[in-house]
Amino acid sequence: MVMVLSPLFLVFILGLGLTPVAPAQDDYRYIHFLTQHYDAKPKGRNDEYCFNMMKNRRLTRPCKDRNTFIHGNKNDIKAICEDRNGQPYRGDLRISKSEFQITICKHKGGSSRPPCRYGATEDSRVIVIGCENGLPVHFDESFITPRH
């Protein structure tokens, strides 16, 4: 028995192979987290750094009141979602076992419309994040750890 495939069916089958797979919702939320809160190797970490980062990351329409950028290795941040570098903290959140270099950009007030003016605070802190399927998707807060 010979099977004849219609040209329309062949186009459909070929089209399935060429159609890109949309990223999973978790991947989108992780990418959004990185866009808002991750900068591996910052330059400056001063008010100008905050002005440029907030503008370039599109966090200025309207001016976001406060944003924290985490510096370092993405894998170390992801490890907070596991026991390697994190532990449970208040509900579904996780707190890091190690400190991260961070820069906090705080809106200096005035208009909530651009151009936005930010003040920078650089520090080393443990961080609290929300995770979904092993990926960080929400930055909650940071703490200065007590020195012994």
Side-chain angles (χ1 to χ4, degrees):
M1 176 173 168
V2 176
M3 187 172 191
V4 178
L5 298 176
S6 76
L8 186 58
F9 181 73
L10 286 173
V11 169
F12 173 75
I13 295 298
L14 289 173
L16 286 177
L18 300 175
T19 305
V21 177
Q25 180 71 12
D26 295 333
D27 293 343
Y28 170 79
R29 293 194 66 202
Y30 173 59
I31 291 166
H32 183 72
F33 171 86
L34 293 176
T35 300
Q36 281 201 320
H37 298 293
Y38 179 69
D39 184 27
K41 296 178 183 173
K43 294 176 179 63
R45 295 177 67 188
N46 54 21
D47 293 1
E48 185 176 343
Y49 166 83
C50 282
F51 173 82
N52 289 325
M53 287 298 291
M54 297 296 282
K55 182 180 172 192
N56 292 341
R57 302 287 176 99
R58 298 194 168 143
L59 302 173
T60 59
R61 294 194 182 272
C63 302
K64 188 172 180 184
D65 187 50
R66 179 186 181 107
N67 194 69
T68 302
F69 290 101
I70 308 164
H71 313 300
N73 183 313
K74 275 191 266 191
N75 289 329
D76 292 339
I77 299 169
K78 277 201 250 183
I80 299 168
C81 297
E82 305 166 4
D83 292 333
R84 285 186 296 140
N85 192 25
Q87 56 194 34
Y89 182 80
R90 288 192 311 182
D92 294 337
L93 299 174
R94 307 271 303 170
I95 189 166
S96 64
K97 292 179 181 176
S98 63
E99 292 186 344
F100 288 84
Q101 291 293 315
I102 63 165
T103 303
I104 300 168
C105 300
K106 192 169 182 181
H107 188 240
K108 289 184 176 181
S111 174
S112 63
R113 293 179 297 165
C116 307
R117 293 179 45 229
Y118 289 95
T121 303
E122 59 180 280
D123 210 338
S124 180
R125 299 183 180 188
V126 295
I127 60 174
V128 176
I129 62 173
C131 300
E132 288 182 6
N133 296 324
L135 296 172
V137 295
H138 170 74
F139 178 85
D140 196 69
E141 59 187 317
S142 63
F143 296 103
I144 301 171
T145 54
R147 304 282 182 222
H148 297 282

